[in-house]
Every structure is written in C-alpha cells, then in structure tokens.
Amino acid sequence: MVRTVVLWSIVATYVLMVFGGIVTSTGSGLGCPDWPLCHGQLLPFQLKEEIPIPPAPMVVETHLQPWIEQTHRILGGIAGLLMLASLVLVWRSYKGFPRKAMVWIFVFLILEALLGMRVVLTEAPLLKEFLHYVYTTSHLVLSVMILTGLVFTYRALKQDYEGGPKIPLSEPLFLLVMFQILVGILVRYVKSADFNLFAYFLHISIAMALIIFGLYILLKEPSRYSLITLLLIVAQVVAGVATVLSKFFLPVLFFHIAIGFLLVIWVSYMVAPQVLKGKMIVGAQSEGARAW
C-alpha cells in the first residue's frame, strides 16, 4: 500500500513536470494572472484581462493558455495530495531514511508552491534575462529534487539494493544528467547571443558525452539495465536533434521533455543503491533496523 502510493506520487510528479514543459512552450505561464484561481474562477471560462506575452520564445501560439496553466495547477494539486498521503503513510510505517526523505520532499513541495505563487504574482515570466532564468531554474531544480527524492524513497521501501537493478558508474552518470538539465535551461531561456551559442554547444557536447558514457557502461557490464540506460540517452539526444530540425514542433518537443524526465527517473533509480548505502530503514512492525 505504502509503496503503491509513493509510486503514484512519482507518476503524478512526472506527468506534472512534462506538462510544465507545455506551459512554458505555449507561453501559458501567465495565462492565469491570479492564484490559486484563474481569472477569478476555478475553470477559466471567461477571461478578465489580456494575457501578456513572456520574453521566453513560444513554440506555438494558442488561445488556450489559461486552460493549460490551470490544468497544470490542478495536476500540481493532485500530485501534492498524493505526496501528502505518501508522507502520512511512510511516517506511520517506517523510520529512518524513508521518513526523513518524505519530510524533506514535502518541504520542497511547499517551497515549489510558494515559488509558483510568487511567479504569478510578480509576473516572473515577464522578467528579463537573469531574473527570469533564476525563477525558472529554481522552479525546475525543486521539481527535479522532489522527483529524485520520491524515486529514492520508493527504492528504499523496496529494499532490493543487493539483487535489484543496478548499473556501474551510476553516480557520475546521475551528476552528468543533472548538469545537462541545467544547461538545457540556459539554452531555452538565456537570449544573449554569445552566451547562448556557448550554452548550445555545451549542451551538444554533454549529449555526445552521455552517449559515449552510456555505451561504456554497456560494454563494461552488459545487462538489460545498461542497455535501457543507453537507449534512453540515445532517444533523448535524437529527440533533441529532431526538436531543433523541426523548428520546435510541439509534439517533438513534448517527446524530448518526456524522455528527459524519464531518464531522470531511471538514473535516480539506478543510483539509489549508492545513495542509500548505510542508511537505516525500519519498518513499523520491525523491532530491528536494517542498514544498507
């Protein structure tokens, strides 16, 4: 029961983050000028004011920005309720790492909600360059931390570190994937021509390094987990190239975002045994603690 709820929290958070990419790509960040309602309504059937256009480039123009933004908020509410349920169930059933992790995840969730509210009330999508990047980066970093923390918690509850799925060199791979995400934000939002060119080539270089690294992992320890790792990396890189060649065609960009966050989940699951090594996990019905 506990693991199932945590797993659904991971799924809901993943869907929320992918949908967040649609929000930014359609310029829907300020589709709702108020918070938590949208144009004073739960569902924005009537717009009270014109929607401003953010400086970040939009992939597609649409009149559905209020609906996209409010749907994103509703998905956030669902994910938040699942995480609250996970916190309560884990707190009642476990001690040690799972309980601490869920507490921190919920703290990050509150910060994420406050940041989202701040973004709307200060019209952050309209801020230029550096401040816009800071808001966007903070929002995404918190989301990735929540998603990663949930994956770590789920693997801790499974307690399959010794015989479960794993790959070699998972720690440097995890760090490289996280760094690639930050560089991707630079490519997307920083519009300074010289710096953007640098970030763009850095993004490509890291992508090539990830493919080489994934291939090395497969050759070092051939397994279906190593193969899945390489295939996810290749799919992400191919989707990135297709996004550029299609001039940011929305379905292709959506696929790029979806594969990217799926890769985050996968590498987090693979690196979890290293992160959880030595951590105490105590079940509610257990009198002893197990350290990994």
Side-chain angles (χ1 to χ4, degrees):
M1 173 64 178
V2 181
R3 278 190 297 172
T4 301
V5 175
V6 173
L7 179 59
W8 277 108
S9 296
I10 294 172
V11 173
T13 303
Y14 170 74
V15 172
L16 178 66
M17 293 175 69
V18 173
F19 202 85
I22 298 176
V23 171
T24 56
S25 299
T26 56
S28 300
L30 285 180
C32 299
D34 46 352
W35 190 94
L37 298 177
C38 185
H39 293 272
Q41 308 157 83
L42 179 61
L43 297 176
F45 286 103
Q46 293 182 340
L47 304 186
K48 293 184 176 179
E49 55 187 88
E50 206 172 307
I51 300 170
I53 299 175
M58 292 189 295
V59 174
V60 62
E61 294 185 15
T62 175
H63 297 295
L64 297 176
Q65 286 106 326
W67 287 94
I68 293 172
E69 171 63 13
Q70 192 67 353
T71 301
H72 185 244
R73 294 180 186 181
I74 292 172
L75 288 173
I78 294 171
L81 289 175
L82 284 169
M83 280 183 247
L84 177 60
S86 298
L87 172 61
V88 172
L89 291 173
V90 168
W91 187 273
R92 292 175 56 186
S93 305
Y94 293 89
K95 296 180 181 178
F97 176 83
R99 180 182 287 188
K100 293 177 182 177
M102 285 308 307
V103 169
W104 278 109
I105 287 169
F106 203 72
V107 169
F108 292 149
L109 178 64
I110 293 173
L111 291 175
E112 181 86 322
L114 292 174
L115 181 60
M117 178 182 67
R118 180 72 175 171
V119 164
V120 172
L121 297 182
T122 59
E123 296 190 345
L126 296 180
L127 296 176
K128 302 297 183 181
E129 302 300 342
F130 181 72
L131 286 178
H132 180 68
Y133 173 71
V134 169
Y135 271 107
T136 304
T137 303
S138 301
H139 200 61
L140 185 55
V141 167
L142 281 173
S143 298
V144 171
M145 290 174 68
I146 290 171
L147 182 62
T148 302
L150 287 170
V151 174
F152 288 165
T153 302
Y154 179 75
R155 185 107 198 232
L157 300 182
K158 286 192 70 175
Q159 299 186 6
D160 64 344
Y161 318 139
E162 294 178 355
K166 58 183 177 181
I167 58 173
L169 303 172
S170 57
E171 291 169 295
L173 176 64
F174 176 81
L175 294 175
L176 192 58
V177 168
M178 294 302 161
F179 183 61
Q180 177 73 325
I181 290 174
L182 291 177
V183 176
I185 301 173
L186 284 172
V187 173
R188 178 73 174 88
Y189 290 103
V190 178
K191 297 195 295 181
S192 172
D194 293 337
F195 187 80
N196 190 268
L197 186 63
F198 166 76
Y200 179 72
F201 281 107
L202 180 60
H203 196 55
I204 294 175
S205 299
I206 297 174
M208 295 301 102
L210 279 169
I211 291 179
I212 295 172
F213 201 14
L215 183 60
Y216 177 75
I217 289 173
L218 180 61
L219 294 175
K220 181 178 177 63
E221 188 175 305
S223 69
R224 67 174 179 269
Y225 306 117
S226 298
L227 178 60
I228 291 172
T229 301
L230 178 60
L231 291 177
L232 282 173
I233 292 172
V234 171
Q236 172 69 350
V237 173
V238 170
V241 173
T243 299
V244 175
L245 294 179
S246 67
K247 297 182 179 179
F248 292 87
F249 182 50
L250 189 57
V252 179
L253 178 60
F254 176 82
F255 182 72
H256 182 55
I257 295 170
I259 293 295
F261 289 131
L262 186 61
L263 180 60
V264 169
I265 292 176
W266 180 257
V267 296
S268 298
Y269 194 79
M270 291 297 107
V271 79
Q274 301 301 320
V275 175
L276 298 171
K277 189 179 296 182
K279 300 290 191 302
M280 287 293 183
I281 301 170
V282 187
Q285 306 301 323
S286 174
E287 296 180 356
R290 186 172 185 180
W292 295 89

PDB file of all heavy atoms in Angstrom, residues 171-204:
ATOM      1  N   GLU A 171      26.776   6.912 -10.298  1.00  0.00           N
ATOM      2  CA  GLU A 171      26.899   8.226  -9.658  1.00  0.00           C
ATOM      3  C   GLU A 171      27.354   9.315 -10.632  1.00  0.00           C
ATOM      4  O   GLU A 171      26.714  10.369 -10.720  1.00  0.00           O
ATOM      5  CB  GLU A 171      27.830   8.133  -8.449  1.00  0.00           C
ATOM      6  CG  GLU A 171      27.238   7.323  -7.309  1.00  0.00           C
ATOM      7  CD  GLU A 171      28.263   7.009  -6.237  1.00  0.00           C
ATOM      8  OE1 GLU A 171      29.227   6.264  -6.532  1.00  0.00           O
ATOM      9  OE2 GLU A 171      28.106   7.528  -5.109  1.00  0.00           O
ATOM     10  N   PRO A 172      28.472   9.110 -11.363  1.00  0.00           N
ATOM     11  CA  PRO A 172      28.853  10.154 -12.343  1.00  0.00           C
ATOM     12  C   PRO A 172      27.813  10.337 -13.446  1.00  0.00           C
ATOM     13  O   PRO A 172      27.611  11.456 -13.919  1.00  0.00           O
ATOM     14  CB  PRO A 172      30.187   9.648 -12.913  1.00  0.00           C
ATOM     15  CG  PRO A 172      30.262   8.210 -12.574  1.00  0.00           C
ATOM     16  CD  PRO A 172      29.493   8.045 -11.296  1.00  0.00           C
ATOM     17  N   LEU A 173      27.130   9.260 -13.835  1.00  0.00           N
ATOM     18  CA  LEU A 173      26.078   9.376 -14.846  1.00  0.00           C
ATOM     19  C   LEU A 173      24.944  10.251 -14.321  1.00  0.00           C
ATOM     20  O   LEU A 173      24.437  11.128 -15.034  1.00  0.00           O
ATOM     21  CB  LEU A 173      25.538   8.001 -15.218  1.00  0.00           C
ATOM     22  CG  LEU A 173      24.362   7.994 -16.205  1.00  0.00           C
ATOM     23  CD1 LEU A 173      24.791   8.562 -17.556  1.00  0.00           C
ATOM     24  CD2 LEU A 173      23.802   6.586 -16.368  1.00  0.00           C
ATOM     25  N   PHE A 174      24.548  10.035 -13.086  1.00  0.00           N
ATOM     26  CA  PHE A 174      23.489  10.826 -12.461  1.00  0.00           C
ATOM     27  C   PHE A 174      23.857  12.310 -12.435  1.00  0.00           C
ATOM     28  O   PHE A 174      23.053  13.175 -12.813  1.00  0.00           O
ATOM     29  CB  PHE A 174      23.257  10.317 -11.032  1.00  0.00           C
ATOM     30  CG  PHE A 174      22.260  11.113 -10.244  1.00  0.00           C
ATOM     31  CD1 PHE A 174      20.895  10.913 -10.407  1.00  0.00           C
ATOM     32  CD2 PHE A 174      22.681  12.061  -9.326  1.00  0.00           C
ATOM     33  CE1 PHE A 174      19.976  11.641  -9.669  1.00  0.00           C
ATOM     34  CE2 PHE A 174      21.774  12.791  -8.585  1.00  0.00           C
ATOM     35  CZ  PHE A 174      20.410  12.580  -8.759  1.00  0.00           C
ATOM     36  N   LEU A 175      25.092  12.617 -12.034  1.00  0.00           N
ATOM     37  CA  LEU A 175      25.537  14.009 -11.964  1.00  0.00           C
ATOM     38  C   LEU A 175      25.583  14.647 -13.353  1.00  0.00           C
ATOM     39  O   LEU A 175      25.211  15.817 -13.532  1.00  0.00           O
ATOM     40  CB  LEU A 175      26.920  14.083 -11.300  1.00  0.00           C
ATOM     41  CG  LEU A 175      26.969  13.684  -9.820  1.00  0.00           C
ATOM     42  CD1 LEU A 175      28.415  13.679  -9.320  1.00  0.00           C
ATOM     43  CD2 LEU A 175      26.134  14.643  -8.978  1.00  0.00           C
ATOM     44  N   LEU A 176      26.015  13.883 -14.352  1.00  0.00           N
ATOM     45  CA  LEU A 176      26.109  14.410 -15.718  1.00  0.00           C
ATOM     46  C   LEU A 176      24.714  14.708 -16.281  1.00  0.00           C
ATOM     47  O   LEU A 176      24.516  15.742 -16.945  1.00  0.00           O
ATOM     48  CB  LEU A 176      26.841  13.408 -16.609  1.00  0.00           C
ATOM     49  CG  LEU A 176      27.288  13.910 -17.992  1.00  0.00           C
ATOM     50  CD1 LEU A 176      28.211  15.113 -17.857  1.00  0.00           C
ATOM     51  CD2 LEU A 176      27.995  12.795 -18.755  1.00  0.00           C
ATOM     52  N   VAL A 177      23.754  13.843 -15.998  1.00  0.00           N
ATOM     53  CA  VAL A 177      22.384  14.068 -16.458  1.00  0.00           C
ATOM     54  C   VAL A 177      21.808  15.330 -15.804  1.00  0.00           C
ATOM     55  O   VAL A 177      21.149  16.147 -16.464  1.00  0.00           O
ATOM     56  CB  VAL A 177      21.493  12.844 -16.148  1.00  0.00           C
ATOM     57  CG1 VAL A 177      20.020  13.178 -16.343  1.00  0.00           C
ATOM     58  CG2 VAL A 177      21.876  11.670 -17.025  1.00  0.00           C
ATOM     59  N   MET A 178      22.047  15.501 -14.502  1.00  0.00           N
ATOM     60  CA  MET A 178      21.543  16.683 -13.800  1.00  0.00           C
ATOM     61  C   MET A 178      22.176  17.975 -14.352  1.00  0.00           C
ATOM     62  O   MET A 178      21.499  18.995 -14.509  1.00  0.00           O
ATOM     63  CB  MET A 178      21.821  16.570 -12.300  1.00  0.00           C
ATOM     64  CG  MET A 178      21.065  15.454 -11.628  1.00  0.00           C
ATOM     65  SD  MET A 178      19.275  15.616 -11.840  1.00  0.00           S
ATOM     66  CE  MET A 178      18.722  13.956 -11.497  1.00  0.00           C
ATOM     67  N   PHE A 179      23.464  17.913 -14.654  1.00  0.00           N
ATOM     68  CA  PHE A 179      24.140  19.086 -15.214  1.00  0.00           C
ATOM     69  C   PHE A 179      23.586  19.414 -16.600  1.00  0.00           C
ATOM     70  O   PHE A 179      23.395  20.587 -16.949  1.00  0.00           O
ATOM     71  CB  PHE A 179      25.644  18.829 -15.292  1.00  0.00           C
ATOM     72  CG  PHE A 179      26.439  20.007 -15.791  1.00  0.00           C
ATOM     73  CD1 PHE A 179      26.428  21.214 -15.103  1.00  0.00           C
ATOM     74  CD2 PHE A 179      27.181  19.918 -16.957  1.00  0.00           C
ATOM     75  CE1 PHE A 179      27.154  22.303 -15.563  1.00  0.00           C
ATOM     76  CE2 PHE A 179      27.903  20.990 -17.423  1.00  0.00           C
ATOM     77  CZ  PHE A 179      27.893  22.195 -16.721  1.00  0.00           C
ATOM     78  N   GLN A 180      23.278  18.380 -17.365  1.00  0.00           N
ATOM     79  CA  GLN A 180      22.709  18.583 -18.698  1.00  0.00           C
ATOM     80  C   GLN A 180      21.359  19.293 -18.618  1.00  0.00           C
ATOM     81  O   GLN A 180      21.024  20.123 -19.480  1.00  0.00           O
ATOM     82  CB  GLN A 180      22.579  17.230 -19.406  1.00  0.00           C
ATOM     83  CG  GLN A 180      21.940  17.287 -20.774  1.00  0.00           C
ATOM     84  CD  GLN A 180      22.850  17.886 -21.842  1.00  0.00           C
ATOM     85  OE1 GLN A 180      23.625  18.803 -21.573  1.00  0.00           O
ATOM     86  NE2 GLN A 180      22.765  17.369 -23.058  1.00  0.00           N
ATOM     87  N   ILE A 181      20.585  18.999 -17.589  1.00  0.00           N
ATOM     88  CA  ILE A 181      19.293  19.661 -17.405  1.00  0.00           C
ATOM     89  C   ILE A 181      19.487  21.153 -17.185  1.00  0.00           C
ATOM     90  O   ILE A 181      18.786  21.984 -17.783  1.00  0.00           O
ATOM     91  CB  ILE A 181      18.529  19.040 -16.212  1.00  0.00           C
ATOM     92  CG1 ILE A 181      18.068  17.633 -16.557  1.00  0.00           C
ATOM     93  CG2 ILE A 181      17.320  19.910 -15.831  1.00  0.00           C
ATOM     94  CD1 ILE A 181      17.434  16.895 -15.404  1.00  0.00           C
ATOM     95  N   LEU A 182      20.442  21.522 -16.350  1.00  0.00           N
ATOM     96  CA  LEU A 182      20.705  22.940 -16.084  1.00  0.00           C
ATOM     97  C   LEU A 182      21.175  23.662 -17.341  1.00  0.00           C
ATOM     98  O   LEU A 182      20.757  24.792 -17.619  1.00  0.00           O
ATOM     99  CB  LEU A 182      21.753  23.080 -14.975  1.00  0.00           C
ATOM    100  CG  LEU A 182      21.318  22.657 -13.572  1.00  0.00           C
ATOM    101  CD1 LEU A 182      22.475  22.778 -12.596  1.00  0.00           C
ATOM    102  CD2 LEU A 182      20.136  23.483 -13.094  1.00  0.00           C
ATOM    103  N   VAL A 183      22.033  23.017 -18.115  1.00  0.00           N
ATOM    104  CA  VAL A 183      22.499  23.621 -19.366  1.00  0.00           C
ATOM    105  C   VAL A 183      21.329  23.764 -20.345  1.00  0.00           C
ATOM    106  O   VAL A 183      21.232  24.760 -21.072  1.00  0.00           O
ATOM    107  CB  VAL A 183      23.625  22.777 -19.993  1.00  0.00           C
ATOM    108  CG1 VAL A 183      24.034  23.352 -21.342  1.00  0.00           C
ATOM    109  CG2 VAL A 183      24.829  22.720 -19.062  1.00  0.00           C
ATOM    110  N   GLY A 184      20.429  22.784 -20.335  1.00  0.00           N
ATOM    111  CA  GLY A 184      19.253  22.869 -21.193  1.00  0.00           C
ATOM    112  C   GLY A 184      18.391  24.082 -20.880  1.00  0.00           C
ATOM    113  O   GLY A 184      17.816  24.702 -21.777  1.00  0.00           O
ATOM    114  N   ILE A 185      18.304  24.437 -19.601  1.00  0.00           N
ATOM    115  CA  ILE A 185      17.560  25.638 -19.206  1.00  0.00           C
ATOM    116  C   ILE A 185      18.239  26.885 -19.766  1.00  0.00           C
ATOM    117  O   ILE A 185      17.577  27.820 -20.242  1.00  0.00           O
ATOM    118  CB  ILE A 185      17.452  25.740 -17.673  1.00  0.00           C
ATOM    119  CG1 ILE A 185      16.741  24.521 -17.104  1.00  0.00           C
ATOM    120  CG2 ILE A 185      16.691  27.003 -17.272  1.00  0.00           C
ATOM    121  CD1 ILE A 185      16.741  24.475 -15.598  1.00  0.00           C
ATOM    122  N   LEU A 186      19.563  26.896 -19.727  1.00  0.00           N
ATOM    123  CA  LEU A 186      20.308  28.027 -20.300  1.00  0.00           C
ATOM    124  C   LEU A 186      19.990  28.191 -21.781  1.00  0.00           C
ATOM    125  O   LEU A 186      19.737  29.288 -22.264  1.00  0.00           O
ATOM    126  CB  LEU A 186      21.812  27.817 -20.100  1.00  0.00           C
ATOM    127  CG  LEU A 186      22.387  28.063 -18.709  1.00  0.00           C
ATOM    128  CD1 LEU A 186      23.844  27.610 -18.670  1.00  0.00           C
ATOM    129  CD2 LEU A 186      22.284  29.525 -18.324  1.00  0.00           C
ATOM    130  N   VAL A 187      20.021  27.064 -22.494  1.00  0.00           N
ATOM    131  CA  VAL A 187      19.742  27.090 -23.934  1.00  0.00           C
ATOM    132  C   VAL A 187      18.342  27.628 -24.199  1.00  0.00           C
ATOM    133  O   VAL A 187      18.112  28.389 -25.145  1.00  0.00           O
ATOM    134  CB  VAL A 187      19.906  25.680 -24.535  1.00  0.00           C
ATOM    135  CG1 VAL A 187      19.444  25.654 -25.984  1.00  0.00           C
ATOM    136  CG2 VAL A 187      21.354  25.223 -24.437  1.00  0.00           C
ATOM    137  N   ARG A 188      17.406  27.241 -23.356  1.00  0.00           N
ATOM    138  CA  ARG A 188      15.996  27.587 -23.586  1.00  0.00           C
ATOM    139  C   ARG A 188      15.685  29.040 -23.258  1.00  0.00           C
ATOM    140  O   ARG A 188      14.907  29.690 -23.952  1.00  0.00           O
ATOM    141  CB  ARG A 188      15.116  26.658 -22.727  1.00  0.00           C
ATOM    142  CG  ARG A 188      13.607  26.934 -22.814  1.00  0.00           C
ATOM    143  CD  ARG A 188      13.045  26.483 -24.134  1.00  0.00           C
ATOM    144  NE  ARG A 188      11.591  26.618 -24.169  1.00  0.00           N
ATOM    145  CZ  ARG A 188      10.946  27.724 -24.541  1.00  0.00           C
ATOM    146  NH1 ARG A 188      11.636  28.778 -24.917  1.00  0.00           N
ATOM    147  NH2 ARG A 188       9.633  27.771 -24.562  1.00  0.00           N
ATOM    148  N   TYR A 189      16.308  29.580 -22.197  1.00  0.00           N
ATOM    149  CA  TYR A 189      15.833  30.861 -21.683  1.00  0.00           C
ATOM    150  C   TYR A 189      16.798  32.040 -21.801  1.00  0.00           C
ATOM    151  O   TYR A 189      16.358  33.176 -21.827  1.00  0.00           O
ATOM    152  CB  TYR A 189      15.413  30.710 -20.212  1.00  0.00           C
ATOM    153  CG  TYR A 189      14.163  29.899 -20.048  1.00  0.00           C
ATOM    154  CD1 TYR A 189      14.216  28.576 -19.623  1.00  0.00           C
ATOM    155  CD2 TYR A 189      12.917  30.428 -20.354  1.00  0.00           C
ATOM    156  CE1 TYR A 189      13.066  27.814 -19.487  1.00  0.00           C
ATOM    157  CE2 TYR A 189      11.762  29.681 -20.226  1.00  0.00           C
ATOM    158  CZ  TYR A 189      11.848  28.382 -19.789  1.00  0.00           C
ATOM    159  OH  TYR A 189      10.715  27.631 -19.661  1.00  0.00           O
ATOM    160  N   VAL A 190      18.099  31.796 -21.807  1.00  0.00           N
ATOM    161  CA  VAL A 190      19.036  32.917 -21.890  1.00  0.00           C
ATOM    162  C   VAL A 190      19.186  33.336 -23.345  1.00  0.00           C
ATOM    163  O   VAL A 190      19.589  32.540 -24.192  1.00  0.00           O
ATOM    164  CB  VAL A 190      20.402  32.540 -21.282  1.00  0.00           C
ATOM    165  CG1 VAL A 190      21.362  33.712 -21.417  1.00  0.00           C
ATOM    166  CG2 VAL A 190      20.235  32.172 -19.818  1.00  0.00           C
ATOM    167  N   LYS A 191      18.893  34.604 -23.634  1.00  0.00           N
ATOM    168  CA  LYS A 191      18.822  35.044 -25.029  1.00  0.00           C
ATOM    169  C   LYS A 191      20.045  35.838 -25.483  1.00  0.00           C
ATOM    170  O   LYS A 191      20.081  36.314 -26.597  1.00  0.00           O
ATOM    171  CB  LYS A 191      17.556  35.877 -25.241  1.00  0.00           C
ATOM    172  CG  LYS A 191      16.272  35.094 -25.012  1.00  0.00           C
ATOM    173  CD  LYS A 191      15.073  35.819 -25.570  1.00  0.00           C
ATOM    174  CE  LYS A 191      14.846  37.126 -24.824  1.00  0.00           C
ATOM    175  NZ  LYS A 191      13.662  37.847 -25.327  1.00  0.00           N
ATOM    176  N   SER A 192      21.037  35.992 -24.609  1.00  0.00           N
ATOM    177  CA  SER A 192      22.272  36.652 -25.016  1.00  0.00           C
ATOM    178  C   SER A 192      22.941  35.809 -26.101  1.00  0.00           C
ATOM    179  O   SER A 192      23.225  34.628 -25.896  1.00  0.00           O
ATOM    180  CB  SER A 192      23.220  36.795 -23.812  1.00  0.00           C
ATOM    181  OG  SER A 192      24.471  37.255 -24.233  1.00  0.00           O
ATOM    182  N   ALA A 193      23.163  36.394 -27.255  1.00  0.00           N
ATOM    183  CA  ALA A 193      23.607  35.634 -28.431  1.00  0.00           C
ATOM    184  C   ALA A 193      24.898  34.858 -28.185  1.00  0.00           C
ATOM    185  O   ALA A 193      24.975  33.652 -28.447  1.00  0.00           O
ATOM    186  CB  ALA A 193      23.783  36.576 -29.612  1.00  0.00           C
ATOM    187  N   ASP A 194      25.931  35.536 -27.657  1.00  0.00           N
ATOM    188  CA  ASP A 194      27.227  34.872 -27.448  1.00  0.00           C
ATOM    189  C   ASP A 194      27.119  33.772 -26.403  1.00  0.00           C
ATOM    190  O   ASP A 194      27.608  32.655 -26.595  1.00  0.00           O
ATOM    191  CB  ASP A 194      28.282  35.899 -27.014  1.00  0.00           C
ATOM    192  CG  ASP A 194      28.598  36.872 -28.133  1.00  0.00           C
ATOM    193  OD1 ASP A 194      28.375  36.519 -29.305  1.00  0.00           O
ATOM    194  OD2 ASP A 194      29.065  37.991 -27.838  1.00  0.00           O
ATOM    195  N   PHE A 195      26.467  34.083 -25.270  1.00  0.00           N
ATOM    196  CA  PHE A 195      26.357  33.101 -24.203  1.00  0.00           C
ATOM    197  C   PHE A 195      25.477  31.936 -24.630  1.00  0.00           C
ATOM    198  O   PHE A 195      25.755  30.784 -24.309  1.00  0.00           O
ATOM    199  CB  PHE A 195      25.800  33.754 -22.939  1.00  0.00           C
ATOM    200  CG  PHE A 195      25.811  32.829 -21.751  1.00  0.00           C
ATOM    201  CD1 PHE A 195      26.974  32.629 -21.025  1.00  0.00           C
ATOM    202  CD2 PHE A 195      24.664  32.141 -21.379  1.00  0.00           C
ATOM    203  CE1 PHE A 195      26.996  31.767 -19.943  1.00  0.00           C
ATOM    204  CE2 PHE A 195      24.679  31.275 -20.307  1.00  0.00           C
ATOM    205  CZ  PHE A 195      25.845  31.092 -19.576  1.00  0.00           C
ATOM    206  N   ASN A 196      24.420  32.213 -25.365  1.00  0.00           N
ATOM    207  CA  ASN A 196      23.516  31.159 -25.796  1.00  0.00           C
ATOM    208  C   ASN A 196      24.218  30.206 -26.746  1.00  0.00           C
ATOM    209  O   ASN A 196      23.983  29.003 -26.715  1.00  0.00           O
ATOM    210  CB  ASN A 196      22.280  31.758 -26.466  1.00  0.00           C
ATOM    211  CG  ASN A 196      21.204  30.730 -26.716  1.00  0.00           C
ATOM    212  OD1 ASN A 196      21.141  30.126 -27.777  1.00  0.00           O
ATOM    213  ND2 ASN A 196      20.367  30.492 -25.705  1.00  0.00           N
ATOM    214  N   LEU A 197      25.102  30.743 -27.598  1.00  0.00           N
ATOM    215  CA  LEU A 197      25.874  29.904 -28.508  1.00  0.00           C
ATOM    216  C   LEU A 197      26.789  28.971 -27.726  1.00  0.00           C
ATOM    217  O   LEU A 197      26.897  27.781 -28.026  1.00  0.00           O
ATOM    218  CB  LEU A 197      26.693  30.778 -29.458  1.00  0.00           C
ATOM    219  CG  LEU A 197      27.454  30.047 -30.570  1.00  0.00           C
ATOM    220  CD1 LEU A 197      26.484  29.334 -31.504  1.00  0.00           C
ATOM    221  CD2 LEU A 197      28.333  31.024 -31.346  1.00  0.00           C
ATOM    222  N   PHE A 198      27.412  29.526 -26.673  1.00  0.00           N
ATOM    223  CA  PHE A 198      28.268  28.706 -25.806  1.00  0.00           C
ATOM    224  C   PHE A 198      27.459  27.606 -25.129  1.00  0.00           C
ATOM    225  O   PHE A 198      27.851  26.438 -25.109  1.00  0.00           O
ATOM    226  CB  PHE A 198      28.932  29.602 -24.752  1.00  0.00           C
ATOM    227  CG  PHE A 198      29.561  28.841 -23.612  1.00  0.00           C
ATOM    228  CD1 PHE A 198      30.765  28.176 -23.788  1.00  0.00           C
ATOM    229  CD2 PHE A 198      28.930  28.777 -22.374  1.00  0.00           C
ATOM    230  CE1 PHE A 198      31.345  27.460 -22.747  1.00  0.00           C
ATOM    231  CE2 PHE A 198      29.491  28.070 -21.333  1.00  0.00           C
ATOM    232  CZ  PHE A 198      30.703  27.402 -21.521  1.00  0.00           C
ATOM    233  N   ALA A 199      26.298  27.971 -24.560  1.00  0.00           N
ATOM    234  CA  ALA A 199      25.451  27.005 -23.869  1.00  0.00           C
ATOM    235  C   ALA A 199      24.951  25.935 -24.839  1.00  0.00           C
ATOM    236  O   ALA A 199      24.857  24.751 -24.489  1.00  0.00           O
ATOM    237  CB  ALA A 199      24.273  27.717 -23.203  1.00  0.00           C
ATOM    238  N   TYR A 200      24.634  26.352 -26.065  1.00  0.00           N
ATOM    239  CA  TYR A 200      24.121  25.415 -27.066  1.00  0.00           C
ATOM    240  C   TYR A 200      25.170  24.349 -27.395  1.00  0.00           C
ATOM    241  O   TYR A 200      24.871  23.146 -27.418  1.00  0.00           O
ATOM    242  CB  TYR A 200      23.732  26.186 -28.329  1.00  0.00           C
ATOM    243  CG  TYR A 200      23.221  25.343 -29.453  1.00  0.00           C
ATOM    244  CD1 TYR A 200      21.959  24.752 -29.393  1.00  0.00           C
ATOM    245  CD2 TYR A 200      24.002  25.113 -30.593  1.00  0.00           C
ATOM    246  CE1 TYR A 200      21.482  23.958 -30.433  1.00  0.00           C
ATOM    247  CE2 TYR A 200      23.538  24.328 -31.637  1.00  0.00           C
ATOM    248  CZ  TYR A 200      22.274  23.760 -31.543  1.00  0.00           C
ATOM    249  OH  TYR A 200      21.820  22.968 -32.574  1.00  0.00           O
ATOM    250  N   PHE A 201      26.410  24.775 -27.643  1.00  0.00           N
ATOM    251  CA  PHE A 201      27.463  23.814 -27.956  1.00  0.00           C
ATOM    252  C   PHE A 201      27.840  22.980 -26.732  1.00  0.00           C
ATOM    253  O   PHE A 201      28.205  21.807 -26.864  1.00  0.00           O
ATOM    254  CB  PHE A 201      28.688  24.526 -28.526  1.00  0.00           C
ATOM    255  CG  PHE A 201      28.542  24.887 -29.976  1.00  0.00           C
ATOM    256  CD1 PHE A 201      28.353  26.205 -30.364  1.00  0.00           C
ATOM    257  CD2 PHE A 201      28.555  23.911 -30.958  1.00  0.00           C
ATOM    258  CE1 PHE A 201      28.199  26.544 -31.698  1.00  0.00           C
ATOM    259  CE2 PHE A 201      28.401  24.237 -32.304  1.00  0.00           C
ATOM    260  CZ  PHE A 201      28.223  25.556 -32.677  1.00  0.00           C
ATOM    261  N   LEU A 202      27.749  23.569 -25.540  1.00  0.00           N
ATOM    262  CA  LEU A 202      27.987  22.801 -24.322  1.00  0.00           C
ATOM    263  C   LEU A 202      26.924  21.720 -24.173  1.00  0.00           C
ATOM    264  O   LEU A 202      27.219  20.580 -23.801  1.00  0.00           O
ATOM    265  CB  LEU A 202      27.981  23.733 -23.109  1.00  0.00           C
ATOM    266  CG  LEU A 202      28.212  23.072 -21.744  1.00  0.00           C
ATOM    267  CD1 LEU A 202      29.569  22.374 -21.706  1.00  0.00           C
ATOM    268  CD2 LEU A 202      28.105  24.104 -20.618  1.00  0.00           C
ATOM    269  N   HIS A 203      25.689  22.079 -24.480  1.00  0.00           N
ATOM    270  CA  HIS A 203      24.575  21.137 -24.404  1.00  0.00           C
ATOM    271  C   HIS A 203      24.806  19.965 -25.361  1.00  0.00           C
ATOM    272  O   HIS A 203      24.605  18.800 -25.003  1.00  0.00           O
ATOM    273  CB  HIS A 203      23.273  21.869 -24.769  1.00  0.00           C
ATOM    274  CG  HIS A 203      22.025  21.149 -24.383  1.00  0.00           C
ATOM    275  ND1 HIS A 203      21.757  20.729 -23.105  1.00  0.00           N
ATOM    276  CD2 HIS A 203      20.942  20.773 -25.127  1.00  0.00           C
ATOM    277  CE1 HIS A 203      20.582  20.126 -23.061  1.00  0.00           C
ATOM    278  NE2 HIS A 203      20.071  20.128 -24.279  1.00  0.00           N
ATOM    279  N   ILE A 204      25.243  20.266 -26.582  1.00  0.00           N
ATOM    280  CA  ILE A 204      25.523  19.219 -27.567  1.00  0.00           C
ATOM    281  C   ILE A 204      26.694  18.344 -27.113  1.00  0.00           C
ATOM    282  O   ILE A 204      26.652  17.113 -27.226  1.00  0.00           O
ATOM    283  CB  ILE A 204      25.838  19.850 -28.941  1.00  0.00           C
ATOM    284  CG1 ILE A 204      24.606  20.554 -29.506  1.00  0.00           C
ATOM    285  CG2 ILE A 204      26.317  18.783 -29.921  1.00  0.00           C
ATOM    286  CD1 ILE A 204      24.855  21.292 -30.796  1.00  0.00           C
TER     287      ILE A 204
END
